[in-house]
Amino acid sequence: MNFTRWSARLPGTQRRAAARDDRSSVPAARAEYARPEGTPAQPDAAAPEPSGTDTAEGLPGPALDDLSAREILGRLPAPVALLHGPDHRVAYVNDAYEAAFGPRPTGVPAAEAMPELDRLSVLPLLDQVLRSGTPRTVKSRRTTEGGSYTVTCTPIAGEDGVLVYAADVTDHAEAAERLRTSERRHRETAVTLQRSLLPQELEQPDDLRIAATYQPGGTDAAVGGDWYDVITLGAGRTALVIGDVMGRGVRAAAVMGQLRTAVRAYARLDLPPHEVIQLLDVLAAEIDASQIATCVYAVHDPNEGQLVYASAGHLPILVRDEDGTVQRAADPTGPPLGTGGWVHTSGTIALPPGSTAVLYTDGLVERRSEDIDEGVASLARALEGAKGSPQVVCDRLIRSLGVTAEHDDDVAVLVVQHPARTGANAELFHNAALDLLGGIEAAPRARAFATGVLTSWRFPVELRDLGVLATSELVANSLQHGTPPMRLGLRRTDRRLIIEVTDGDDHLPRRRQAEPADEAGRGISIIASIATSWGSRRTPGGGKAVWCEFALPQ
């Protein structure tokens, strides 16, 4: 055995002549070990005759060559054990070993006499060390006594034995555990913040069925800034949003929360999707120019059977038709939010009855081993066969893409279904429309039309009368302040009655307090007082739409 590398750690010992002359120690040591046994050493005239080695205190101490292996091992501060033979019988344990684990009898197999080696996962390594002649190390294992050790098993050449050397790493292990606990606490804080900023319960529009899933990255990944939202806009229209803030931790989650709040505020303005994205682009740069975010904002109108959307650097929407064909939303797609200098535009993709749309973040499809387009293609293939409720589709897509609890990135998925209704269920959904022609005589025709339609839909008398009154006020407002073409639309769902009037003028009405002598200005106030909700928006053709809703009795 070569104990040279341990000799510097032995208290009170140093290598022969090392303290006296560094220049002569190396040649002298080489000559000493190279000299054949029994050959006297030749004195070196340039070096004084060594008479022992001084200790740090200046007192003479024993030379390394004068110490036996047992004395050297006994002086080591770390636990050491010598095991001999194929059954690894205990040949020797030093004082440090006994202090750490208690006295151990010699001549007994280690499997019986040294249970701590089993707890440290060392026993299975002993046979491997003997067979291969290669050292093996077990790092930072904890014992029942409360300490943590890194244990190295080294074969003893020609002795059919194993030297077991244990280093106490308790302080290091405790520090590492404190660090892990702190990181875990920070991650839990970020996840809690992230989840609290996401919608706790998704809004369920009349014409759509929606489910969403958010899964944070594995325990080794800091939480990101993925988010989604569903916003009912009124008149049966619904906004769908999904986005991803680049970066990790609480900061990304906080930026995500600000963007989600802004999206809901902008959505209430009922702006076209590209205008909402344009406003978000400016806001993202003001919040933090270093935090880049992607987002797609889409609006579904049941009367049109399509999604109108705008994207800021986000992945394309996928739509599965009733026959299983998957369509991918094409351009327009602009750069991520916060980059500025880009004029966003809106695009459309069909969402007919019986179809399913999927909005998602890059954690679902991005893998280090493949291009992200391949991941999107894999998602499209998985969507082809994904049937069932929106939540079932969510779960199947996540499983098909191999997302597990140990996934290294956050994943958000929003599944939107436009169900095809038949039978009795279809009877709860009706549409009726009338073009308003001929000037002021259009008003009585509109009232007569509304009366006939609401009667055929078998509404209660009170609700029918309120619907006719609202129709009269909306049409009168359009005839007085709007321009042709004008159109009246009535829509019934299983939850509400929707009345909408469109015209060619883009000036939006506002509610105001009319003076007692005023002959006009009370129409919108009347609608606001009798309807469940009302609103207005500009239409893509340059005109406007004014609408109101009545909740149906359940």
Side-chain angles (χ1 to χ4, degrees), residues 265-449:
Y266 295 149
R268 297 306 174 193
L269 300 176
D270 216 339
L271 300 172
H274 65 274
E275 293 189 22
V276 172
I277 292 296
Q278 204 78 50
L279 292 172
L280 284 177
D281 184 36
V282 176
L283 179 65
E286 293 176 354
I287 292 174
D288 189 344
S290 65
Q291 290 278 5
I292 303 301
T294 65
C295 178
V296 61
Y297 180 89
V299 175
H300 174 257
D301 189 332
N303 296 317
E304 298 176 359
Q306 64 183 13
L307 287 176
V308 181
Y309 68 91
S311 175
H314 205 79
L315 295 168
I317 301 172
L318 300 182
V319 175
R320 178 188 183 274
D321 295 334
E322 195 170 13
D323 61 359
T325 304
V326 175
Q327 305 291 334
R328 180 186 301 194
D331 290 340
T333 297
L337 299 175
T339 55
W342 184 268
V343 179
H344 292 271
T345 57
S346 295
T348 61
I349 185 170
L351 189 69
S355 60
T356 300
V358 177
L359 294 79
Y360 51 96
T361 57
D362 59 0
L364 181 64
V365 296
E366 188 174 27
R367 303 292 183 270
R368 292 188 178 94
S369 58
E370 63 183 23
D371 187 80
I372 194 168
D373 286 336
E374 297 178 11
V376 175
S378 298
L379 176 61
R381 289 191 295 270
L383 181 59
E384 289 177 357
K387 299 180 180 179
S389 67
Q391 189 59 59
V392 170
V393 173
C394 263
D395 297 339
R396 288 182 177 178
L397 293 180
I398 286 179
R399 287 197 304 269
S400 299
L401 273 295
V403 177
T404 64
E406 291 74 32
H407 195 60
D408 61 357
D409 195 5
D410 292 40
V411 174
V413 183
L414 184 66
V415 174
V416 182
Q417 288 184 347
H418 186 188
R421 296 179 174 87
T422 58
N425 189 34
E427 291 299 317
L428 300 177
F429 292 80
H430 291 285
N431 286 281
L434 174 69
D435 290 327
L436 301 176
L437 304 173
I440 59 173
E441 62 270 18
R445 286 203 302 269
R447 287 193 294 270
F449 176 78

Side-chain angles (χ1 to χ4, degrees), residues 430-473:
H430 291 285
N431 286 281
L434 174 69
D435 290 327
L436 301 176
L437 304 173
I440 59 173
E441 62 270 18
R445 286 203 302 269
R447 287 193 294 270
F449 176 78
T451 302
V453 169
L454 298 182
T455 301
S456 68
W457 290 350
R458 290 174 289 192
F459 283 147
V461 174
E462 292 183 3
L463 180 58
R464 183 189 65 196
D465 292 343
L466 290 175
V468 172
L469 176 58
T471 300
S472 178
E473 293 297 336

Side-chain angles (χ1 to χ4, degrees), residues 8 20 64 67 90 106 156 168 192 235 277 290 301-302 304 323 330 340 344 411 427 435 477 496 501 514 520 526:
R20 299 191 175 209
L64 179 61
L67 296 176
V90 181
T106 58
I156 303 176
D168 189 342
T192 300
I277 292 296
S290 65
D301 189 332
E304 298 176 359
D323 61 359
H344 292 271
V411 174
E427 291 299 317
D435 290 327
N477 183 78
R496 72 198 78 223
V501 174
I526 292 174

Side-chain angles (χ1 to χ4, degrees), residues 467-490:
V468 172
L469 176 58
T471 300
S472 178
E473 293 297 336
L474 289 177
V475 170
N477 183 78
S478 182
L479 290 172
Q480 182 173 357
H481 302 289
T483 59
M486 302 177 186
R487 185 178 178 86
L488 166 66
L490 303 176

Side-chain angles (χ1 to χ4, degrees), residues 74-147:
R75 291 171 180 248
L76 289 177
V80 175
L82 290 175
L83 309 179
H84 185 268
D87 53 355
H88 313 297
R89 294 181 178 274
V90 181
Y92 168 79
V93 294
N94 68 352
D95 294 341
Y97 196 101
E98 292 185 350
F101 305 108
R104 294 293 181 263
T106 58
V108 181
E112 301 175 13
M114 309 176 83
E116 64 277 359
L117 296 186
D118 184 37
R119 294 192 292 269
L120 292 169
S121 303
V122 172
L123 285 180
L125 297 181
L126 298 178
D127 291 333
Q128 299 178 24
V129 172
L130 277 183
R131 286 196 306 268
S132 65
T134 304
R136 295 284 189 272
T137 299
V138 175
K139 294 185 178 181
S140 190
R141 296 296 175 90
R142 192 172 183 83
T143 66
T144 55
E145 291 80 3

